[in-house]
Amino acid sequence: MVEERLTLEPEVQEIFQCIDSKRNFLLSGGAGSGKTYSLVQVIRQVITENPTAKVACMTYTNAAVKEIEERVNHNNLNVSTIHDFLWDNIKHFQKELKAAIITLANDENAKLSIDEDDPIPENYFDGLEKGIQYKEYLKLKEGIISHDELLLVANYLFDKHHKLSAIVKDKYQFIFIDEYQDTNTAVVDIFLNHFRKNEKKNLVGFFGDAMQSIYDDGIGNLDQYKGDAADIVKEVKKAQNRRSPRKIIDLANRLRTDGITQEPSTDRKAPNMTDGQVKEGNILFIHSANGDVSSVKQYLTENHGWNFDSAEETKELNLTHNLIADKAGFRTLMDIYDKDLILSYRDRVKKYIKDKAIITDFSQNTFSEVITALAAGKTGRELNAVNPTASMQIFIDDNQALYQIALNYNYEAFSKLYVNKDQLLDDKKQDEDDENKKGSKRDNLVKHLFKIQNNIMLYQNKRYNEFLRATDYKDKIANVVAKRTLKNNIESLINVGNKTIEEVINDAHEKGICLVDDKLEDFKVKKEYLYNRVKDVKYSEFQKLYDYLEGKTPFSTQHKTKGTEFDNVLVILDNGGWNKYNFENMFLNTGTESVLERTQKIFYVCCTRAKENLAVFYHNPSQQVVVKATEWFGNDNVVTL
């Protein structure tokens, strides 16, 4: 085994020193350092040296699960998302689950509510046929918990029932957590605090990068568990960067605050090497007074050979989907899911009823009747609290027909309509096998539209067997005429002209390309208001959204790009009105600490996506920003357009 270990990379050999001494460990590595490669090496060697031991590997997304499963295929290895791992290990303890939810629901500080006025009795869930379930959505009264509640309940159970830790330790002698920085604090609490309350032994290893913790619900770092004070976790640092050329690495190092200084990889097989030499790469800071991104693209194309027509080669990174919607061509859909101020007014009315503790039964009233009842007898400030705000009124005036429809809806049904941009834009890529797995927030209308496009793609890519399984064409292509008809039907759904989304849904159904199922029919009834808004949008706009979410455009959000890499990366430094980020403060190292740290991390992630060339565009920066940019990028690399 000693000789075999000598073939492993140095950081993995250091990890096995931790394993030999029964110590939990953390592999910290910057962007492009090959952390997943190290993780795979560790898993393989652990299985080789412990052939009867069970190994659990958890990561953040279903896509990452698939990647690890493809690299290591072994019966003793269980790869899953963190949520699925926790649920698999607590779902059989129904009695304890029910008690935990009731206890947490009765604790006003626990962030879990069943929405009942009185304390929840111990027998509240006794009549559940299927017991407590974990789903994509939350219905606590029916015993259905979702992602956030699962973490809360699991943490409570591991805290209160030390035997649960013993059971999991017995089952898995090794537990590895990838992308640990995105892991919720409650999860780390389970594995590093609650596990220690039980004497049974197992080993927990973490892999990740504190500088890439760009989600607010992640733990960010394990500082409280490592070092002299706690000494619960031994840190192993991986300093190399195999992806980016030298100039990009030097820029990224100016942003790191965790003691890791990345170095170009000297491995001749590394992407940042050519002819045995580390690539220098190119970095540019471009600024102008007019904010015209198209002129930036033209400059990069004409002067530096960038190709913005290739989504695989070049990416433009923006902070928000809203900043991309116009460029990528899905503004109408974006506004429906993210800027409907009639729904905002409805929420204002709901909040008023709740805040004023109004107990009137409005279940049989229309939205209009509820507004009238609340406004009755009120004047001045009291009436203003019931009426729309100024911005809401402008939206209502511009959308009178839509508002009249909303007024006539049953209030109880209308008040339950939940609309969020994640239902349209969820980034977690779905394929035929993945679309209904936990983690997808797309609503059933958007899922149906994706099915239509996916079925068309199956046909276009000549994946005919999969196409036939997914459509109603199994017995309909027995002759040349039928095949020609199918070809014409597909083409009519590709070149849709001015057809609306509803027209294409009906066409796809009638032509057997994508049948309307129960889920869509249910959506039409229960979310009629939303369906009526979306159905009249041109289908060609959805096609543009599809291309964007499938990575077929040069656009991406800065969050979504994490974990990917491209030859050329253009970063647009515009916070889109989002006050959680401030790019000027990042350059000047001023402002609120949390905003500064958050901005540094997202910028670090963006810069380190580039394999060849990086360009950063800043609209109308202050002179102090330009001075700092000159220091960071070099005088010759600062361009004024």
Side-chain angles (χ1 to χ4, degrees), residues 265-280:
S265 172
T266 55
D267 180 353
R268 287 175 177 265
K269 296 179 182 178
N272 64 348
M273 296 285 287
T274 178
D275 301 325
Q277 298 293 318
V278 176
K279 294 178 184 176
E280 287 297 309

Side-chain angles (χ1 to χ4, degrees), residues 352-367:
Y352 181 87
I353 292 171
K354 183 178 180 180
D355 290 348
K356 297 293 184 181
I358 295 170
I359 59 173
T360 307
D361 180 6
F362 290 123
S363 61
Q364 301 305 311
N365 295 104
T366 64
F367 184 36

